[in-house]
Amino acid sequence: MSETNKKWYSLNLNRSKKSESCGCGSNSGGCNSDKPKDGFDQIMDISMSRRTAFTKITAGLLIGAGAVSSSCSIIGSDESKEKSAMEWEEYFKGNYKLMTDEEKDKSINRLVRSYELNHGKKINISSKNAEENVLFGYAFNISKCQGYMDCVNACVEENNQDRTSEMQYIRIHEMKDGKGFNFEEADDNYYHEVPADGHFYMGTQCFHCDNPPCVEVCPVQATWKEKDGIVVIDYDWCIGCRYCMAACPYDGRRFNWKTPEVPEEEVNKNQHYLGNRLRKKGVMEKCTFCIQRSREGKNPACVEACPTGSRTFGNLLDPNSTIRWILDNKKVFRLKEDLGTEPKFWYYMD
Amino acid sequence: MTAKIKVITQFIVVCLFTISCKHSDEHKYHTVIDKIEANTVEYKGEISSDIYNETIKKVEVIDSDFKFLIPERKSQIVSYKCSECHSQPLEKLKEHKVGEKAAHWNIKLNHAGPETMNCTTCHNKNDFDHLQSLTNSSIDFNFSYKLCSQCHQKEFKDWKGGAHGKQLGGWAPPRLSNTCVNCHNPHNPKFEKRWPVRFNTTVEKERE
Amino acid sequence: MKTLKVFGSLIKDAFLEVTHGSRAYHIWMGVLTLIMLFGMYNYSIQLEQGLSATGMTDRVSWGLYISNFTFLVGVAAAAVMLVLPAYVLKNIDFKQAVLIGEGLAVSALLMCLAFVVADMGGPARLWHMIPGIGVFNFPNSMLAWDVIVLNGYLFINITIPLYILIMRYQGKTPNPKIYIPGVFLSVFWAVAIHMVTAFLYQGLQARPFWNNALLGPRFLASAFAAGPALIIIVLAIIRKFTAFKIADETIKKISMIVTVAAQINLIMLISELFKEFYAPTHHSISAVYLFFGLEGKTALLPWIWTSISLNVMATIALTFHKIRNNLNILYVLCGMLFIAIWIEKGFGLIVPGFIPGPWGKISEYTPSFVEISVTLGIWAMGAFIFTILAKTGIAVEMGQLVYKKK
């Protein structure tokens, strides 16, 4: 079967040059066996060196400008020069999906170093790729969730989300029994003793669709599906057009309307390039199944924090995993299945 | 003129089809379930949850097709063995004297009704170091789920599969799951009502 | 080399032309400049604070900027539609209108691009879209298509009039064999930009309000009404303030186009309303919000009902030849139609697409002061560019600007 199985018609220009065995189309990254190529390069076969040349030329200009500015300012030091040079190189780095491992390392070194210069503390940023034979999925037991919202707090802390705007990836909807899944009447910002009588609770977040509309619409391929099924965003590549936000039927995406603020002592320093590293204003972000944890074998923070065991995370390809048992044995369903997005987030009841 | 246009349209259509017919792995499957079924393979990767669960003492559950770990219980009970105190008859211990260590005084059984359950449904008057089943056979404290599963058959089935309860550490094998009493107090198994841990004021403002 | 010289001379002459004019002209340009500067100042605030300076939220994530963008794509497309009768049907009346139309298209397109840039979270990273050094999600992303067609359209609409003007400037007759193919292309392209922009919204299964097959055709119909309506108004102004002669016949013919388009637009509106309200489904809820309000939230009601009543009144009045042929009334009707469609394609289309959100939550959208100022600034920029283009074009057409061989 081929492309024709998709729910809408789409051309296949920039996937065409990839080899069959590689299996990483434009939607999935983490495949570095080929020489990386940009979207248009794949069509036009222009080598990557153009941007490198551009970077070098402009970096030359910057060093000139930097020299002028540092000679003018009294506090101009080697550190500030290093900082601005790093910022410049960061500005002109490529899309993570297309970087070689070496380029990834370089970028990460710059990010770690610049955090050290700015805050005097070391952080750890991983660039771990997807494992073989792993496809992540999630199940949510709506009979068990009590609406305590421990998951929400754990998520905010784990993923360094902006504290001032109260950005959260997870929403817990309080629904009335007997009304079905009536999101219109549900309350996702309740504050009373829970579980409230005659109500049940349903959590939503990014569903990591297998056929994600957000990935399809991004004009610069700043978001894509990794091989292990996690839909990720390259925060440094996103231009902030918010088309993905309009395309997501699940309210899974968040935008940094302002510079996110996380108190220094609360910063989670165990980070992943595609996960919880600190974001800047004007870029999208969302749940990554805690990629910095899940790629290491851990459960996402929400799963770990849940006191009721409503949340199950695991490898869909492993026949012995608990998530597979749920899919095979419980009456599972997903939200808005008619849209053809194929979420990897299932709900079930006891 | 019209002929020209026709040729051009045909050309465009042919172009579009050749482009779109390039196969890619990504869209080989109609649904994600197809994809999962086609690619199912037992995970034998290098990632393991062991490092996250190192500090927890474990015992293995083997029940029909299921084989997984649960936290060991006995070492977690403060004064196991029970028989160290329960060397005297219960009536004697109840005559509590000043200066003696008091235990269990705060336990109030809130589990099913008194006509269904009392202390001796699970505890054995004659062997405090073990639990006892409905048919008076002895159950080890480490395997207390056997006791619960006598009534909670459905939950037991879900728990074995992973639909009930909670996996500890990580998703990666080996699986270590909480056992019943790690989440439920056997004397008062229902989850308490409490306040949610957060309330969003900005969301409230936005929706005014 | 010679063409370059001629072009250089044209630029020089044009610069002289646009810097000289009547007092009214200078006041007009001065006011526009002030508004632009004000807009730029507010844009700098937005750059500093991020898009939190706007009224947009996670719930309604596109607002005034994208609304104006959508509307102006229509204006840009429709302006060039006039090219077809002018050049191909050899209808001499239209020729003057066309030059104005192309100028309008160029300024509308530049406004479109400005609105898109204003809406970006990271305008500094826009180079990620440049083919060759960036990554372009073509052909999957409709936004990528839009960028291509808009820039292509801009290119076409700059080159064709430039060619004609340069020829006229030298006192030569433009060679139809050179520009007619371009004109054909630009007409098809005009349809394309509008359809692609409609597809941008139409292709989102997440938003039932937009995910509707009528959106593209309705975009075209409303654009054909609003674009030429604007041209009529502009022609009327030009007629009044310059020596440029525009026959009544030209305006009347354009008004015919406006009328038919407005009627078709109204039919489509009725069709949409019928579908949403005769058999309302869960997906009609955005329409309910738009037209009647939901849970006491009624921010869009005054807008949409103003739009609909203006639209209906103007369309009915335009239908009668007698009323339409009275030019003074025609200008008013065109103004009404223009405003009606601006509301309908802007606020009336973009904002309700987001309300209620995917989980039924309603938070309303009110543009912030910064947002409105930037929007006004961009409109002033459009008017500024158009004035420059029109003034130069008219001067060349009227033979006031002629290439002098030195």
Side-chain angles (χ1 to χ4, degrees):
Chain A
M1 286 204 268
S2 72
E3 196 69 40
T4 47
N5 276 331
K6 284 184 69 175
K7 293 288 189 301
W8 57 82
Y9 181 79
S10 77
L11 302 174
N12 205 2
L13 280 173
N14 40 0
R15 295 171 189 159
S16 54
K17 290 253 168 83
K18 297 276 186 178
S19 62
E20 279 276 321
S21 60
C22 170
C24 78
S26 74
N27 282 355
S28 57
C31 165
N32 297 305
S33 52
D34 307 332
K35 190 177 178 291
K37 282 178 177 179
D38 289 356
F40 244 76
D41 298 344
Q42 288 162 3
I43 305 165
M44 306 293 192
D45 208 27
I46 302 165
S47 88
M48 181 97 158
S49 59
R50 190 179 289 179
R51 183 167 55 228
T52 325
F54 188 45
T55 316
K56 278 192 181 138
I57 293 163
T58 47
L61 286 175
L62 174 92
I63 289 164
V68 171
S69 75
S70 59
S71 59
C72 292
S73 85
I74 317 155
I75 48 161
S77 62
D78 286 347
E79 264 194 10
S80 68
K81 255 186 242 167
E82 188 190 352
K83 234 190 251 181
S84 55
M86 270 192 317
E87 268 167 28
W88 201 249
E89 276 180 56
E90 271 297 286
Y91 179 70
F92 280 108
K93 73 182 172 187
N95 186 328
Y96 182 82
K97 178 164 111 172
L98 304 161
M99 283 187 201
T100 58
D101 283 342
E102 193 196 351
E103 284 172 310
K104 286 178 188 174
D105 287 343
K106 271 189 184 163
S107 174
I108 283 171
N109 285 339
R110 284 194 296 266
L111 290 170
V112 171
R113 176 76 184 134
S114 97
Y115 189 85
E116 199 182 357
L117 286 177
N118 289 326
H119 298 93
K121 292 205 178 107
K122 278 259 181 203
I123 49 172
N124 173 35
I125 300 182
S126 154
S127 61
K128 198 173 163 75
N129 287 330
E131 280 280 298
E132 285 292 312
N133 298 327
V134 172
L135 184 69
F136 288 124
Y138 206 112
F140 188 98
N141 186 344
I142 51 174
S143 313
K144 282 283 173 286
C145 180
Q146 311 278 303
Y148 298 145
M149 290 210 193
D150 287 325
C151 49
V152 180
N153 270 6
C155 175
V156 169
E157 280 156 27
E158 170 69 30
N159 290 301
N160 295 325
Q161 282 151 42
D162 181 28
R163 305 294 203 265
T164 45
S165 68
E166 296 177 331
M167 183 198 281
Q168 288 143 24
Y169 300 158
I170 303 174
R171 303 205 191 290
I172 306 287
H173 306 261
E174 184 181 69
M175 307 223 178
K176 261 203 190 80
D177 286 340
K179 293 252 179 169
F181 302 121
N182 190 340
F183 282 97
E184 274 81 17
E185 285 181 34
D187 184 4
D188 65 356
N189 199 32
Y190 50 84
Y191 198 62
H192 48 70
E193 270 200 324
V194 287
D197 291 333
H199 289 81
F200 67 97
Y201 298 82
M202 195 161 184
T204 59
Q205 59 203 69
C206 171
F207 290 165
H208 296 271
C209 304
D210 201 48
N211 190 6
C214 53
V215 167
E216 209 73 24
V217 301
C218 177
V220 292
Q221 298 189 24
T223 180
W224 65 89
K225 198 177 73 195
E226 289 273 292
K227 262 188 104 182
D228 51 9
I230 301 180
V231 178
V232 293
I233 299 167
D234 181 347
Y235 309 120
D236 290 332
W237 195 255
C238 172
I239 57 171
C241 71
R242 308 189 296 292
Y243 196 12
C244 53
M245 215 170 176
C248 176
Y250 302 109
D251 189 24
R253 296 190 154 240
R254 306 283 177 268
F255 185 70
N256 285 293
W257 299 96
K258 52 184 267 301
T259 306
E261 289 165 42
V262 185
E264 167 60 33
E265 65 279 6
E266 287 177 30
V267 172
N268 178 0
K269 297 191 175 57
N270 181 25
Q271 303 173 358
H272 192 285
Y273 192 100
L274 298 171
N276 59 346
R277 77 187 164 98
L278 297 166
R279 275 80 64 183
K280 51 191 165 211
K281 73 166 182 255
V283 300
M284 298 301 308
E285 62 176 281
K286 65 175 197 65
C287 159
T288 59
F289 279 163
C290 289
I291 196 164
Q292 65 280 1
R293 298 169 63 99
S294 52
R295 288 246 166 113
E296 303 288 346
K298 278 201 214 173
N299 278 323
C302 50
V303 176
E304 193 173 274
C306 180
T308 65
S310 312
R311 294 172 173 268
T312 308
F313 177 79
N315 179 4
L316 294 167
L317 301 182
D318 183 1
N320 300 326
S321 66
T322 51
I323 180 115
R324 267 301 279 280
W325 190 88
I326 293 171
L327 292 195
D328 294 343
N329 293 279
K330 304 300 289 183
K331 279 105 190 140
V332 295
F333 66 94
R334 294 171 293 179
L335 291 174
K336 301 190 187 178
E337 277 190 271
D338 50 333
L339 298 182
T341 48
E342 293 290 326
K344 290 194 288 291
F345 195 103
W346 286 266
Y347 293 93
Y348 67 100
M349 292 168 241
D350 277 348
Chain B
M1 192 68 199
T2 41
K4 240 185 200 168
I5 293 175
K6 225 177 174 179
V7 170
I8 292 170
T9 2
Q10 275 171 357
F11 175 73
I12 293 171
V13 169
V14 169
C15 281
L16 290 179
F17 272 99
T18 31
I19 296 162
S20 66
C21 286
K22 293 265 164 62
H23 292 264
S24 78
D25 244 21
E26 262 304 302
H27 299 284
K28 230 157 70 180
Y29 311 104
H30 195 66
T31 66
V32 68
I33 293 292
D34 291 347
K35 183 171 164 181
I36 293 167
E37 275 167 6
N39 294 314
T40 291
V41 56
E42 203 166 320
Y43 184 75
K44 293 228 160 50
E46 53 191 51
I47 297 182
S48 152
S49 285
D50 273 336
I51 43 168
Y52 308 117
N53 299 329
E54 262 174 351
T55 50
I56 304 174
K57 273 178 101 181
K58 296 168 267 268
V59 291
E60 193 167 42
V61 174
I62 300 174
D63 190 298
S64 53
D65 288 342
F66 298 98
K67 212 171 137 184
F68 58 94
L69 303 168
I70 54 173
E72 193 262 0
R73 178 79 187 140
K74 283 190 272 197
S75 64
Q76 303 298 309
I77 302 172
V78 184
S79 33
Y80 194 78
K81 288 178 163 192
C82 309
S83 53
E84 280 168 18
C85 298
H86 287 281
S87 48
Q88 299 165 340
L90 217 50
E91 286 71 29
K92 191 113 192 276
L93 284 171
K94 273 184 183 167
E95 299 163 12
H96 184 245
K97 287 180 200 113
V98 184
E100 262 181 4
K101 201 171 136 195
H104 311 324
W105 54 272
N106 56 350
I107 291 180
K108 239 180 130 188
L109 192 61
N110 182 17
H111 189 166
E115 64 274 21
T116 318
M117 279 181 90
N118 59 26
C119 307
T120 56
T121 320
C122 305
H123 297 285
N124 186 347
K125 245 201 248 183
N126 307 315
D127 178 9
F128 281 95
D129 292 334
H130 289 91
L131 298 160
Q132 72 170 349
S133 79
L134 295 173
T135 53
N136 297 330
S137 50
S138 162
I139 292 173
D140 191 291
F141 269 99
N142 278 342
F143 300 95
S144 57
Y145 66 86
K146 289 181 180 167
L147 188 69
C148 312
S149 68
Q150 297 175 107
C151 300
H152 301 284
Q153 289 272 329
K154 223 176 121 270
E155 283 78 3
F156 179 57
K157 193 175 154 241
D158 281 350
W159 173 71
K160 278 189 294 183
H164 183 124
K166 182 168 167 169
Q167 190 166 344
L168 295 173
W171 58 269
R175 173 183 164 195
L176 168 66
S177 282
N178 268 341
T179 185
C180 314
V181 293
N182 292 126
C183 303
H184 300 280
N185 177 349
H187 303 117
N188 184 19
K190 210 171 167 337
F191 277 67
E192 298 278 323
K193 269 197 182 194
R194 63 170 159 101
W195 289 79
V197 290
R198 85 160 34 237
F199 176 70
N200 299 318
T201 45
T202 50
V203 174
E204 206 63 16
K205 252 186 253 160
E206 261 173 30
R207 291 185 189 153
E208 263 167 16
Chain C
M1 206 52 223
K2 195 193 157 229
T3 349
L4 220 70
K5 220 171 138 193
V6 175
F7 181 68
S9 161
L10 174 63
I11 297 285
K12 243 186 262 164
D13 283 353
F15 184 74
L16 279 178
E17 171 70 25
V18 297
T19 45
H20 292 81
S22 63
R23 172 180 282 198
Y25 172 75
H26 280 296
I27 292 176
W28 165 246
M29 294 304 259
V31 169
L32 289 182
T33 312
L34 275 182
I35 302 176
M36 272 158 68
L37 285 174
F38 184 63
M40 270 163 72
Y41 167 70
N42 279 290
Y43 183 61
S44 74
I45 294 177
Q46 183 190 309
L47 276 184
E48 182 63 33
Q49 296 180 357
L51 285 168
S52 59
T54 70
M56 292 183 274
T57 57
D58 270 353
R59 205 53 309 112
V60 182
S61 54
W62 280 340
L64 199 56
Y65 297 147
I66 295 294
S67 301
N68 278 289
F69 159 77
T70 314
F71 174 72
L72 285 167
V73 170
V75 172
V80 164
M81 293 294 185
L82 293 175
V83 167
L84 200 63
Y87 285 117
V88 184
L89 306 178
K90 303 207 165 43
N91 191 333
I92 296 161
D93 275 335
F94 270 91
K95 272 202 174 168
Q96 293 133 332
V98 163
L99 215 60
I100 303 296
E102 300 224 10
L104 204 59
V106 170
S107 30
L109 277 171
L110 290 173
M111 285 161 78
C112 284
L113 296 176
F115 274 119
V116 169
V117 173
D119 189 63
M120 289 293 141
R125 294 186 294 278
L126 272 176
W127 66 267
H128 293 174
M129 281 185 120
I130 302 171
I133 55 170
V135 183
F136 210 42
N137 191 9
F138 187 84
N140 288 25
S141 172
M142 274 298 133
L143 200 56
W145 279 78
D146 218 26
V147 169
I148 290 178
V149 291
L150 285 181
N151 283 302
Y153 192 64
L154 184 61
F155 177 75
I156 295 173
N157 279 302
I158 287 175
T159 44
I160 295 174
L162 196 64
Y163 166 74
I164 294 173
L165 284 182
I166 283 185
M167 293 311 269
R168 291 264 165 85
Y169 181 59
Q170 291 170 286
K172 295 178 194 163
T173 323
N175 182 358
K177 275 194 187 143
I178 295 181
Y179 69 80
I180 289 285
V183 169
F184 259 115
L185 184 64
S186 92
V187 170
F188 284 113
W189 209 286
V191 178
I193 63 165
H194 219 33
M195 288 305 265
V196 167
T197 309
F199 288 169
L200 195 88
Y201 306 107
Q202 204 172 321
L204 302 180
Q205 68 266 58
R207 312 278 167 187
F209 187 69
W210 298 335
N211 191 3
N212 138 17
L214 200 55
L215 200 69
R218 219 183 135 204
F219 265 44
L220 284 180
S222 61
F224 265 82
L230 183 61
I231 289 181
I232 289 178
I233 296 170
V234 169
L235 288 179
I237 294 169
I238 288 174
R239 230 158 62 131
K240 188 148 190 248
F241 287 100
T242 71
F244 198 49
K245 293 217 167 30
I246 295 151
D248 281 0
E249 201 50 37
T250 308
I251 291 183
K252 283 179 184 166
K253 280 213 168 133
I254 300 176
S255 75
M256 196 65 207
I257 297 181
V258 174
T259 309
V260 173
Q263 287 165 342
I264 296 176
N265 186 36
L266 209 58
I267 293 171
M268 290 187 182
L269 175 69
I270 292 168
S271 166
E272 259 185 3
L273 289 178
F274 176 79
K275 178 225 151 200
E276 301 286 20
F277 295 110
Y278 182 76
T281 67
H282 202 71
H283 289 168
S284 310
I285 193 144
S286 293
V288 172
Y289 168 72
L290 175 61
F291 292 105
F292 303 110
L294 260 185
E295 295 171 22
K297 307 262 169 67
T298 54
L300 286 180
L301 287 199
W303 292 94
I304 197 67
W305 288 109
T306 310
S307 162
I308 285 184
S309 38
L310 286 177
N311 197 344
V312 171
M313 280 193 303
T315 309
I316 291 175
L318 280 171
T319 309
F320 296 101
H321 294 284
K322 267 211 181 126
I323 305 177
R324 191 177 67 232
N325 286 337
N326 181 336
L327 288 187
N328 284 330
I329 298 181
L330 176 68
Y331 300 149
V332 175
L333 293 179
C334 283
M336 281 162 66
L337 205 58
F338 186 78
I339 293 169
I341 291 172
W342 178 74
I343 296 173
E344 178 195 299
K345 288 278 281 303
F347 262 42
L349 178 82
I350 304 302
V351 177
F354 290 103
I355 299 173
W359 302 132
K361 295 294 170 290
I362 303 170
S363 35
E364 296 198 289
Y365 165 73
T366 326
S368 69
F369 177 75
V370 168
E371 219 172 346
I372 294 170
S373 314
V374 173
T375 304
L376 284 177
I378 294 176
W379 275 92
M381 182 197 82
F384 191 89
I385 292 171
F386 176 73
T387 313
I388 288 176
L389 292 178
K391 197 156 192 296
T392 316
I394 288 168
V396 172
E397 278 282 308
M398 291 182 54
Q400 288 167 350
L401 283 190
V402 187
Y403 179 56
K404 295 169 214 86
K405 280 184 195 139
K406 280 151 207 162

